[in-house]
Amino acid sequence: MENRGVPQGTIVGPVLFSIMINDIRSRNNSRTLLVKYADDITLSTYRASNYDCAPEEVDSIKKWATENKVSINLAKTKELVVRGRSKAPIPTPLPGIEQVDNI
């Protein structure tokens, strides 16, 4: 497969990326915040022992990437767990995604 793209640093690059990812949607709008900006996507989800939508959201984005012939660099993808003072156990890391405690 041939690599295609826009040269880095161009003005048109972020615009084309925004157009390309415009149809990515979260599966559960009440529990997920999906922010798309320039060449980045941030997915914020609620994970608890009784409710965890993160795996299905990640699977949905992976499916979108496959359908649109776009690769996701999982080596640059991180899962940040924000807990406050909760004593609940940290959720199991998402498959193939590094879980971190700070950025």
XYZ file of all heavy atoms in Angstrom:
802
model
N 0.832 -1.175 0.000
C 0.000 0.000 0.000
C 0.882 1.246 0.000
O 1.871 1.322 0.703
C -0.909 -0.006 1.233
C -1.903 1.093 1.245
S -3.112 0.728 2.524
C -3.525 2.356 2.998
N 0.493 2.195 -0.741
C 1.250 3.434 -0.895
C 0.861 4.429 0.202
O -0.303 4.597 0.520
C 0.910 4.009 -2.261
C 1.698 5.205 -2.648
C 1.302 5.655 -4.043
O 1.094 4.791 -4.905
O 1.203 6.864 -4.231
N 1.864 5.071 0.809
C 1.576 6.114 1.795
C 1.108 7.368 1.078
O 1.674 7.762 0.072
C 2.819 6.441 2.627
C 3.086 5.387 3.667
O 2.179 4.697 4.093
N 4.327 5.259 4.059
N 0.080 7.973 1.621
C -0.433 9.220 1.073
C -0.573 10.204 2.217
O -0.731 9.824 3.358
C -1.785 8.991 0.424
C -1.701 8.078 -0.777
C -3.063 7.953 -1.434
N -2.974 7.117 -2.603
C -3.312 5.845 -2.625
N -3.790 5.271 -1.559
N -3.193 5.144 -3.712
N -0.565 11.468 1.894
C -0.750 12.435 2.956
C -0.483 13.845 2.483
O -0.268 14.100 1.309
N -0.503 14.718 3.433
C -0.252 16.134 3.204
C 1.050 16.454 3.928
O 1.246 16.026 5.065
C -1.413 16.984 3.780
C -1.131 18.455 3.657
C -2.719 16.611 3.098
N 1.945 17.204 3.296
C 3.195 17.550 3.981
C 2.933 18.230 5.324
O 2.044 19.083 5.431
C 3.883 18.503 3.002
C 3.312 18.165 1.671
C 1.899 17.741 1.935
N 3.682 17.826 6.326
C 3.508 18.383 7.658
C 3.854 19.867 7.661
O 4.786 20.309 6.995
C 4.396 17.640 8.652
C 4.020 17.915 10.075
C 4.610 16.871 11.019
O 5.363 16.016 10.625
N 4.250 16.961 12.273
N 3.077 20.640 8.409
C 3.326 22.061 8.524
C 2.536 22.906 7.540
O 2.609 24.130 7.578
N 1.790 22.261 6.642
C 1.001 23.041 5.694
C -0.262 23.568 6.368
O -0.752 23.002 7.337
C 0.585 22.193 4.474
O -0.238 21.124 4.928
C 1.794 21.650 3.739
N -0.796 24.642 5.832
C -2.035 25.218 6.365
C -3.218 24.327 6.042
O -4.144 24.182 6.842
C -2.242 26.637 5.792
C -1.137 27.556 6.314
C -3.618 27.183 6.137
C -1.110 28.927 5.681
N -3.184 23.690 4.899
C -4.324 22.888 4.454
C -4.412 21.542 5.197
O -5.478 20.949 5.269
C -4.284 22.695 2.916
C -3.236 21.688 2.511
C -5.637 22.291 2.399
N -3.309 21.073 5.788
C -3.297 19.775 6.475
C -4.365 19.626 7.539
O -5.182 18.690 7.498
N -4.423 20.512 8.543
C -5.450 20.391 9.575
C -6.882 20.499 9.036
O -7.783 19.829 9.521
C -5.146 21.552 10.530
C -3.697 21.817 10.335
C -3.446 21.543 8.876
N -7.061 21.311 8.001
C -8.396 21.443 7.399
C -8.812 20.128 6.756
O -9.929 19.640 6.959
C -8.428 22.598 6.370
C -9.759 22.629 5.639
C -8.146 23.925 7.046
N -7.916 19.535 5.978
C -8.225 18.249 5.343
C -8.465 17.161 6.382
O -9.358 16.327 6.228
C -7.100 17.850 4.381
C -6.964 18.715 3.130
C -5.739 18.299 2.321
C -8.216 18.666 2.291
N -7.673 17.154 7.455
C -7.873 16.172 8.524
C -9.247 16.350 9.154
O -9.970 15.385 9.380
C -6.775 16.284 9.583
C -6.910 15.268 10.691
C -6.475 13.964 10.505
C -7.480 15.612 11.901
C -6.598 13.027 11.515
C -7.609 14.683 12.910
C -7.168 13.386 12.720
N -9.631 17.588 9.425
C -10.938 17.863 10.035
C -12.070 17.383 9.133
O -13.060 16.822 9.617
C -11.097 19.354 10.326
O -10.193 19.746 11.318
N -11.930 17.588 7.835
C -12.947 17.099 6.897
C -12.982 15.584 6.915
O -14.048 14.967 6.935
C -12.669 17.644 5.475
C -12.900 19.159 5.450
C -13.544 16.929 4.445
C -12.382 19.837 4.197
N -11.801 14.964 6.938
C -11.707 13.501 6.903
C -12.374 12.843 8.116
O -13.052 11.843 7.988
C -10.227 13.093 6.832
C -9.963 11.628 6.852
S -10.486 10.879 5.327
C -10.154 9.179 5.667
N -12.175 13.416 9.301
C -12.685 12.774 10.522
C -14.055 13.295 10.947
O -14.562 12.916 11.995
C -11.693 12.916 11.698
C -11.549 14.382 12.126
C -10.360 12.284 11.358
C -10.841 14.557 13.442
N -14.656 14.133 10.115
C -15.922 14.752 10.480
C -17.020 13.742 10.813
O -17.898 14.021 11.622
C -16.393 15.691 9.362
C -17.555 16.534 9.782
O -17.526 17.145 10.837
N -18.577 16.563 8.945
N -16.984 12.553 10.224
C -18.061 11.586 10.450
C -17.797 10.622 11.615
O -18.609 9.726 11.860
C -18.373 10.805 9.175
C -17.201 9.976 8.684
O -16.048 10.282 9.055
O -17.433 9.027 7.919
N -16.721 10.794 12.362
C -16.517 9.968 13.556
C -17.486 10.450 14.626
O -17.565 11.634 14.924
C -15.074 10.071 14.103
C -14.071 9.511 13.103
C -14.954 9.318 15.431
C -12.635 9.651 13.562
N -18.217 9.527 15.197
C -19.188 9.847 16.242
C -18.974 8.915 17.434
O -18.556 7.783 17.277
C -20.626 9.642 15.742
C -20.981 10.445 14.512
C -21.428 11.841 14.900
N -21.869 12.581 13.740
C -21.143 13.467 13.083
N -19.918 13.730 13.469
N -21.618 14.111 12.047
N -19.303 9.412 18.633
C -19.249 8.530 19.801
C -20.500 7.668 19.794
O -21.539 8.043 19.254
C -19.143 9.336 21.098
O -20.319 10.083 21.304
N -20.402 6.504 20.391
C -21.530 5.582 20.432
C -22.509 5.943 21.545
O -23.670 5.634 21.464
C -21.013 4.153 20.616
C -20.224 3.675 19.410
C -19.633 2.303 19.644
N -20.597 1.348 20.122
C -21.229 0.452 19.369
N -20.986 0.400 18.082
N -22.075 -0.407 19.897
N -22.013 6.578 22.603
C -22.863 6.892 23.747
C -22.620 8.343 24.157
O -21.735 8.628 24.953
C -22.545 5.925 24.900
C -23.467 6.102 26.066
O -24.078 7.148 26.264
N -23.574 5.067 26.880
N -23.390 9.249 23.621
C -23.170 10.676 23.871
C -23.346 11.081 25.321
O -22.776 12.073 25.760
C -24.104 11.519 22.996
C -23.690 11.482 21.543
O -22.526 11.297 21.222
N -24.652 11.646 20.663
N -24.108 10.344 26.101
C -24.321 10.729 27.497
C -23.140 10.345 28.388
O -22.991 10.881 29.479
C -25.605 10.097 28.034
O -25.468 8.692 28.094
N -22.285 9.446 27.944
C -21.146 8.992 28.748
C -19.796 9.238 28.090
O -18.768 8.847 28.626
C -21.264 7.488 29.035
C -22.498 7.079 29.768
C -22.320 7.298 31.228
N -23.479 6.790 31.950
C -23.492 6.552 33.216
N -22.430 6.780 33.937
N -24.571 6.118 33.802
N -19.803 9.871 26.925
C -18.568 10.034 26.160
C -18.478 11.442 25.591
O -19.452 11.986 25.107
C -18.533 9.025 24.988
O -18.687 7.715 25.501
C -17.224 9.107 24.234
N -17.280 11.999 25.651
C -16.996 13.282 25.024
C -15.920 13.042 23.977
O -14.831 12.552 24.293
C -16.508 14.296 26.059
C -16.044 15.644 25.514
C -17.213 16.385 24.867
C -15.433 16.482 26.624
N -16.222 13.354 22.737
C -15.286 13.178 21.636
C -14.920 14.561 21.124
O -15.771 15.312 20.668
C -15.941 12.352 20.523
C -15.085 11.947 19.345
C -13.953 11.022 19.787
C -15.931 11.252 18.302
N -13.621 14.912 21.246
C -13.146 16.233 20.818
C -12.190 16.034 19.656
O -11.211 15.291 19.769
C -12.429 16.971 21.985
C -11.901 18.311 21.516
C -13.362 17.126 23.170
N -12.487 16.697 18.551
C -11.649 16.620 17.350
C -11.046 17.999 17.121
O -11.764 18.987 17.034
C -12.491 16.206 16.146
C -13.163 14.855 16.305
C -14.057 14.548 15.130
C -15.491 14.672 15.544
N -16.447 14.330 14.497
N -9.715 18.054 17.045
C -9.049 19.338 16.843
C -7.796 19.139 16.003
O -6.937 18.316 16.353
C -8.676 19.977 18.176
C -7.949 21.282 18.018
C -8.623 22.432 17.653
C -6.574 21.350 18.184
C -7.951 23.632 17.474
C -5.887 22.545 18.014
C -6.583 23.682 17.663
O -5.922 24.863 17.482
N -7.690 19.904 14.933
C -6.539 19.871 14.026
C -6.216 18.422 13.655
O -6.993 17.802 12.941
C -5.354 20.591 14.630
N -5.107 17.867 14.136
C -4.735 16.501 13.760
C -4.810 15.558 14.954
O -4.053 14.606 15.061
C -3.330 16.477 13.155
C -2.257 16.887 14.141
O -2.602 17.396 15.217
O -1.069 16.698 13.836
N -5.752 15.784 15.848
C -5.827 15.016 17.087
C -7.278 14.726 17.449
O -8.173 15.496 17.117
C -5.181 15.829 18.207
C -4.628 14.974 19.327
O -4.558 13.745 19.158
O -4.279 15.541 20.354
N -7.486 13.617 18.128
C -8.805 13.259 18.653
C -8.634 12.897 20.117
O -7.731 12.135 20.474
C -9.403 12.047 17.912
C -9.593 12.360 16.430
C -10.732 11.638 18.533
C -10.008 11.156 15.623
N -9.479 13.436 20.972
C -9.491 13.074 22.388
C -10.835 12.450 22.706
O -11.882 13.016 22.401
C -9.270 14.320 23.279
O -8.013 14.894 22.954
C -9.299 13.947 24.745
N -10.796 11.281 23.313
C -11.999 10.551 23.691
C -12.029 10.462 25.209
O -11.122 9.896 25.809
C -11.966 9.150 23.077
C -13.098 8.209 23.408
C -14.404 8.715 22.814
C -12.786 6.823 22.870
N -13.029 11.051 25.841
C -13.184 10.994 27.296
C -14.414 10.160 27.609
O -15.510 10.462 27.121
C -13.363 12.400 27.881
O -12.250 13.203 27.571
N -14.218 9.112 28.408
C -15.341 8.234 28.746
C -15.399 8.016 30.242
O -14.438 8.243 30.969
C -15.223 6.851 28.061
O -14.064 6.192 28.560
C -15.154 6.967 26.570
N -16.530 7.549 30.677
C -16.760 7.200 32.068
C -16.523 5.708 32.222
O -17.130 4.906 31.536
C -18.200 7.557 32.432
C -18.585 7.173 33.827
C -18.093 7.878 34.907
C -19.443 6.117 34.065
C -18.441 7.541 36.200
C -19.805 5.771 35.349
C -19.302 6.480 36.400
O -19.652 6.148 37.672
N -15.589 5.351 33.111
C -15.301 3.929 33.349
C -15.510 3.630 34.824
O -14.908 4.251 35.676
C -13.858 3.591 32.967
C -13.566 3.762 31.500
C -12.193 3.267 31.143
N -12.232 1.815 31.069
C -11.163 1.049 30.891
N -9.979 1.589 30.799
N -11.281 -0.259 30.826
N -16.367 2.696 35.111
C -16.618 2.266 36.482
C -16.867 0.765 36.463
O -17.091 0.176 35.404
C -17.826 2.998 37.056
N -16.837 0.163 37.632
C -17.006 -1.291 37.690
C -18.361 -1.728 37.137
O -18.493 -2.807 36.589
C -16.834 -1.790 39.123
O -17.775 -1.148 39.960
N -19.370 -0.860 37.253
C -20.695 -1.242 36.768
C -21.004 -0.687 35.370
O -22.038 -0.970 34.810
C -21.778 -0.780 37.747
C -21.766 0.725 37.947
O -20.801 1.393 37.600
N -22.829 1.246 38.501
N -20.112 0.137 34.826
C -20.350 0.701 33.499
C -19.016 1.056 32.852
O -18.221 1.777 33.438
C -21.222 1.954 33.576
C -21.601 2.446 32.216
C -22.678 1.889 31.540
C -20.858 3.427 31.582
C -23.015 2.317 30.271
C -21.187 3.851 30.308
C -22.265 3.296 29.657
O -22.582 3.708 28.403
N -18.781 0.556 31.661
C -17.528 0.834 30.964
C -17.784 0.873 29.468
O -17.907 -0.162 28.830
C -16.494 -0.227 31.301
C -15.116 0.090 30.745
O -14.966 1.119 30.080
O -14.199 -0.697 30.986
N -17.879 2.067 28.921
C -18.129 2.198 27.481
C -16.838 2.381 26.690
O -16.864 2.397 25.469
C -19.100 3.335 27.198
S -18.475 4.956 27.628
N -15.697 2.517 27.365
C -14.439 2.803 26.675
C -14.088 1.763 25.611
O -13.739 2.145 24.488
C -13.305 2.960 27.681
N -14.153 0.458 25.901
C -13.772 -0.512 24.857
C -14.635 -0.396 23.603
O -14.112 -0.446 22.489
C -13.957 -1.866 25.536
C -13.800 -1.575 26.991
C -14.400 -0.205 27.180
N -15.942 -0.212 23.753
C -16.795 -0.118 22.564
C -16.527 1.180 21.791
O -16.607 1.203 20.572
C -18.272 -0.245 22.916
C -18.847 0.901 23.690
C -20.286 0.684 24.129
O -20.663 -0.457 24.431
O -21.026 1.678 24.169
N -16.178 2.256 22.493
C -15.843 3.508 21.816
C -14.551 3.351 21.017
O -14.461 3.791 19.873
C -15.712 4.658 22.817
C -16.999 5.048 23.489
C -17.995 5.761 22.580
O -17.660 6.071 21.417
O -19.114 6.011 23.044
N -13.542 2.736 21.611
C -12.263 2.521 20.917
C -12.479 1.597 19.720
O -11.966 1.853 18.626
C -11.196 1.963 21.883
C -9.945 1.530 21.133
C -10.852 3.007 22.940
N -13.257 0.537 19.900
C -13.547 -0.381 18.791
C -14.262 0.344 17.655
O -14.000 0.083 16.481
C -14.374 -1.572 19.266
C -13.572 -2.539 20.111
O -12.329 -2.466 20.105
O -14.195 -3.372 20.809
N -15.151 1.250 17.997
C -15.877 2.018 16.994
C -14.921 2.894 16.176
O -15.036 2.985 14.946
C -16.946 2.884 17.676
O -17.598 3.698 16.749
N -13.963 3.525 16.837
C -12.987 4.359 16.130
C -12.062 3.489 15.277
O -11.731 3.844 14.145
C -12.201 5.236 17.117
C -13.144 6.299 17.708
C -10.996 5.890 16.441
C -12.540 7.145 18.788
N -11.660 2.322 15.792
C -10.828 1.410 15.001
C -11.580 0.943 13.751
O -11.003 0.860 12.668
C -10.409 0.201 15.841
C -9.343 0.500 16.855
C -9.021 -0.768 17.636
C -7.958 -0.564 18.674
N -7.694 -1.809 19.447
N -12.867 0.652 13.898
C -13.691 0.226 12.760
C -13.769 1.356 11.740
O -13.631 1.126 10.540
C -15.088 -0.171 13.230
C -15.989 -0.631 12.123
C -17.361 -1.013 12.637
C -18.230 -1.430 11.467
N -19.623 -1.228 11.689
N -14.004 2.580 12.214
C -14.052 3.725 11.315
C -12.731 3.846 10.550
O -12.723 4.073 9.333
C -14.318 5.015 12.098
C -14.292 6.233 11.235
C -15.342 6.804 10.581
C -13.133 6.998 10.887
N -14.907 7.880 9.849
C -13.555 8.031 10.017
C -11.782 6.925 11.214
C -12.675 8.963 9.493
C -10.906 7.857 10.687
C -11.362 8.860 9.840
N -11.607 3.702 11.241
C -10.289 3.821 10.613
C -10.102 2.769 9.521
O -9.614 3.078 8.432
C -9.193 3.710 11.662
N -10.502 1.546 9.801
C -10.386 0.474 8.813
C -11.238 0.780 7.587
O -10.775 0.656 6.452
C -10.816 -0.869 9.425
O -9.970 -1.154 10.539
C -10.724 -1.998 8.419
N -12.479 1.182 7.813
C -13.391 1.494 6.704
C -12.884 2.663 5.861
O -13.139 2.724 4.666
C -14.784 1.818 7.241
C -15.500 0.625 7.815
C -16.774 0.989 8.558
O -17.056 2.202 8.752
O -17.499 0.057 8.953
N -12.176 3.599 6.479
C -11.695 4.791 5.783
C -10.221 4.709 5.385
O -9.631 5.707 4.977
C -11.936 6.033 6.650
C -13.401 6.378 6.693
O -13.908 7.034 5.798
N -14.103 5.914 7.714
N -9.647 3.498 5.532
C -8.252 3.241 5.138
C -7.273 4.204 5.810
O -6.364 4.742 5.176
C -8.120 3.271 3.628
C -8.949 2.198 2.928
C -8.848 2.286 1.433
C -9.587 1.194 0.728
N -10.983 1.092 0.915
N -7.500 4.422 7.108
C -6.650 5.291 7.918
C -6.035 4.428 9.012
O -6.708 3.595 9.606
C -7.480 6.432 8.557
C -6.644 7.262 9.494
C -8.105 7.293 7.484
N -4.751 4.613 9.283
C -4.125 3.846 10.360
C -4.073 4.697 11.631
O -3.883 5.907 11.569
C -2.729 3.385 9.968
O -1.909 4.497 9.711
N -4.259 4.036 12.757
C -4.159 4.691 14.065
C -2.841 4.252 14.684
O -2.550 3.060 14.755
C -5.332 4.288 14.978
C -6.654 4.750 14.373
C -5.144 4.863 16.372
C -7.869 4.272 15.129
N -2.056 5.201 15.133
C -0.780 4.894 15.755
C -1.026 4.636 17.245
O -1.027 5.554 18.053
C 0.200 6.048 15.551
C 1.586 5.698 16.020
O 1.791 4.712 16.723
N 2.544 6.509 15.638
N -1.244 3.359 17.601
C -1.520 3.014 18.998
C -0.322 3.258 19.901
O -0.486 3.416 21.105
C -2.002 1.567 19.107
C -3.391 1.300 18.516
C -3.745 -0.171 18.632
C -4.451 2.156 19.177
N 0.883 3.333 19.326
C 2.065 3.632 20.139
C 2.004 5.061 20.684
O 2.603 5.359 21.713
C 3.338 3.428 19.320
N 1.284 5.941 20.005
C 1.138 7.320 20.466
C -0.177 7.535 21.220
O -0.459 8.640 21.668
C 1.185 8.270 19.260
C 2.544 8.308 18.585
C 2.502 9.094 17.304
C 2.613 10.563 17.541
N 2.672 11.334 16.288
N -0.967 6.480 21.355
C -2.262 6.572 22.020
C -2.102 6.234 23.495
O -1.444 5.257 23.840
C -3.261 5.596 21.358
O -3.350 5.907 19.971
C -4.626 5.683 21.992
N -2.677 7.042 24.360
C -2.561 6.837 25.810
C -3.949 6.855 26.445
O -4.851 7.543 25.981
C -1.733 7.947 26.463
C -0.383 8.180 25.840
C 0.573 7.053 26.106
C 1.952 7.403 25.550
N 2.547 6.329 24.828
N -4.086 6.107 27.520
C -5.290 6.149 28.340
C -4.898 6.771 29.676
O -4.059 6.238 30.391
C -5.860 4.748 28.573
C -7.059 4.764 29.490
C -7.549 3.382 29.893
O -6.788 2.404 29.792
O -8.701 3.301 30.331
N -5.489 7.906 29.984
C -5.237 8.589 31.248
C -6.424 8.338 32.167
O -7.558 8.658 31.823
C -5.060 10.096 31.034
C -4.928 10.941 32.297
C -3.632 10.605 33.041
C -4.970 12.422 31.948
N -6.173 7.759 33.328
C -7.229 7.500 34.301
C -7.238 8.640 35.312
O -6.233 8.913 35.961
C -7.003 6.144 35.027
C -8.071 5.913 36.076
C -6.968 5.012 34.018
N -8.378 9.303 35.427
C -8.560 10.391 36.390
C -9.497 9.857 37.468
O -10.622 9.477 37.176
C -9.162 11.642 35.707
C -9.374 12.753 36.708
C -8.272 12.096 34.568
N -9.029 9.829 38.731
C -9.796 9.176 39.786
C -10.181 10.072 40.947
O -11.037 9.726 41.731
C -9.001 8.003 40.359
C -8.685 6.960 39.372
C -7.727 5.893 39.873
N -7.490 5.839 41.269
C -7.750 4.793 42.043
N -8.258 3.719 41.535
N -7.465 4.820 43.324
N -9.523 11.167 41.133
C -9.796 11.951 42.340
C -9.370 11.156 43.564
O -8.334 10.514 43.580
N -10.210 11.144 44.594
C -9.883 10.413 45.831
C -10.536 9.046 45.910
O -10.585 8.440 46.973
C -10.305 11.256 47.031
C -9.522 12.536 47.113
C -9.910 13.316 48.314
N -9.151 14.570 48.325
C -9.142 15.411 49.313
N -9.862 15.161 50.384
N -8.433 16.501 49.248
N -11.019 8.578 44.816
C -11.716 7.292 44.772
C -10.791 6.156 45.222
O -9.609 6.133 44.902
C -12.190 7.014 43.352
O -12.714 5.714 43.264
N -11.364 5.238 45.950
C -10.632 4.034 46.377
C -10.911 2.860 45.445
O -10.398 1.769 45.626
C -11.039 3.648 47.802
C -10.776 4.735 48.834
C -9.318 4.876 49.124
C -9.138 5.838 50.278
N -7.979 6.646 50.193
N -11.747 3.104 44.432
C -12.079 2.036 43.485
C -10.817 1.611 42.739
O -9.933 2.430 42.494
C -13.124 2.527 42.497
N -10.742 0.335 42.372
C -9.556 -0.124 41.635
C -9.465 0.556 40.268
O -10.484 0.923 39.678
C -9.773 -1.623 41.491
C -11.217 -1.852 41.745
C -11.704 -0.728 42.603
N -8.255 0.717 39.781
C -8.036 1.286 38.460
C -8.574 0.303 37.419
O -8.344 -0.903 37.533
C -6.534 1.555 38.229
C -6.056 2.632 39.198
C -6.249 1.965 36.798
C -4.579 2.895 39.151
N -9.293 0.796 36.409
C -9.831 -0.116 35.395
C -8.717 -0.846 34.650
O -7.600 -0.349 34.535
C -10.588 0.804 34.435
C -10.628 2.141 35.064
C -9.638 2.178 36.162
N -9.037 -1.997 34.138
C -8.103 -2.768 33.331
C -7.722 -1.949 32.106
O -8.600 -1.344 31.483
C -8.761 -4.092 32.871
O -9.227 -4.781 34.021
C -7.792 -4.958 32.093
N -6.435 -1.906 31.751
C -6.040 -1.136 30.560
C -6.757 -1.628 29.304
O -7.068 -2.816 29.173
C -4.539 -1.381 30.455
C -4.113 -1.780 31.821
C -5.290 -2.508 32.412
N -6.996 -0.718 28.389
C -7.590 -1.088 27.108
C -6.555 -1.843 26.287
O -5.373 -1.493 26.308
C -8.039 0.171 26.363
C -9.157 0.955 27.048
C -9.302 2.336 26.431
C -10.462 0.195 26.952
N -6.965 -2.874 25.561
C -6.007 -3.675 24.785
C -5.234 -2.829 23.772
O -5.809 -2.072 23.000
C -6.898 -4.695 24.062
C -8.164 -4.731 24.857
C -8.333 -3.370 25.454
N -3.902 -2.940 23.839
C -3.040 -2.251 22.881
C -2.807 -0.785 23.158
O -2.171 -0.106 22.379
N -3.341 -0.272 24.296
C -3.212 1.146 24.618
C -2.556 1.268 25.984
O -3.003 0.673 26.969
C -4.585 1.847 24.603
C -5.193 1.766 23.192
C -4.451 3.302 25.048
C -6.575 2.329 23.080
N -1.490 2.060 26.042
C -0.767 2.250 27.303
C -1.600 3.093 28.276
O -2.121 4.144 27.912
C 0.563 2.951 27.043
C 1.367 3.201 28.311
C 2.647 3.994 28.063
O 2.890 4.417 26.912
O 3.375 4.216 29.029
N -1.713 2.621 29.504
C -2.424 3.379 30.550
C -1.395 4.172 31.340
O -0.393 3.629 31.788
C -3.173 2.401 31.469
C -4.170 3.066 32.364
C -4.945 2.041 33.186
O -4.385 1.482 34.144
N -6.184 1.797 32.823
N -1.629 5.485 31.493
C -0.693 6.360 32.193
C -1.417 7.068 33.328
O -2.633 7.139 33.365
C -0.061 7.389 31.221
C 0.773 6.693 30.152
C -1.107 8.275 30.592
N -0.626 7.594 34.277
C -1.234 8.338 35.399
C -0.956 9.834 35.317
O -1.368 10.585 36.164
C -0.820 7.763 36.745
C 0.692 7.813 36.962
O 1.407 8.402 36.136
O 1.143 7.230 37.959
N -0.222 10.256 34.276
C -0.007 11.682 34.030
C 0.393 11.895 32.580
O 0.827 10.968 31.907
C 1.043 12.267 34.980
C 2.410 11.656 34.776
O 2.996 11.813 33.711
N 2.920 10.943 35.762
N 0.231 13.139 32.148
C 0.605 13.470 30.760
C 1.567 14.638 30.815
O 1.369 15.565 31.537
C -0.623 13.842 29.916
C -1.504 12.617 29.742
C -0.217 14.387 28.561
C -2.731 12.839 28.901
